[in-house]
Amino acid sequence: MRSAGWLSLSVAIVAGLTVAMSRAAEAPPAASSENASATAAPPASTVPVTPKDAAPPPSVTIIGASDAHGVLGRDVLSAANEGMGRIVDVIVDRSGRVRAAVIDFGGFLGVGSRKIVVDWNALRFGKIANKKDSITLELTKAQVAAAPEYKEDTPMVVLGASGSLQPLQAVQ
């Protein structure tokens, strides 16, 4: 029982010393009477000054768990319920707008697969409440198989749902 009393007393002393030292660090040093008149500073401004590099607090948006889900790694099926591959990347333009998805198509266990790019509007997300739910692509397996392979840092062909190919215009 005595050790618990000593422990409580020690904690109280350390806490008191910590508060006293922090208050002493915040208090301005007392000026000597002979230097007080020569170095008197004008009264401090009442407007709080913030450092130049201080950022404003970020905005916060709350999205319900059933309202949005990640798409990377999701299985993609055709409208006929054929396996088309998995989404492995998302293509955005310079303004940050999502333009297309990269799908790892074909092959078995990663062997013989290739990446193709499909227009974002060709994807239907329907019910993707959990990671096992798939995304539907409005293209046939034959259309996707005929698409050229995507290679990073090269011009890409984006396969659209309507069957028409349009160039991805660079934002100037």
Side-chain angles (χ1 to χ4, degrees), residues 103-127:
I103 297 176
D104 194 14
F105 174 75
F108 181 71
L109 296 175
V111 177
S113 65
R114 60 195 183 90
K115 294 177 182 174
I116 55 106
V117 180
V118 297
D119 189 284
W120 190 256
N121 294 320
L123 298 170
R124 298 292 169 252
F125 297 94
K127 178 189 161 211

Side-chain angles (χ1 to χ4, degrees), residues 137-154:
L137 177 62
E138 291 186 356
L139 295 167
T140 66
K141 199 164 193 165
Q143 289 172 319
V144 173
E149 185 173 2
Y150 163 72
K151 293 186 174 143
E152 245 182 272
D153 298 327
T154 62

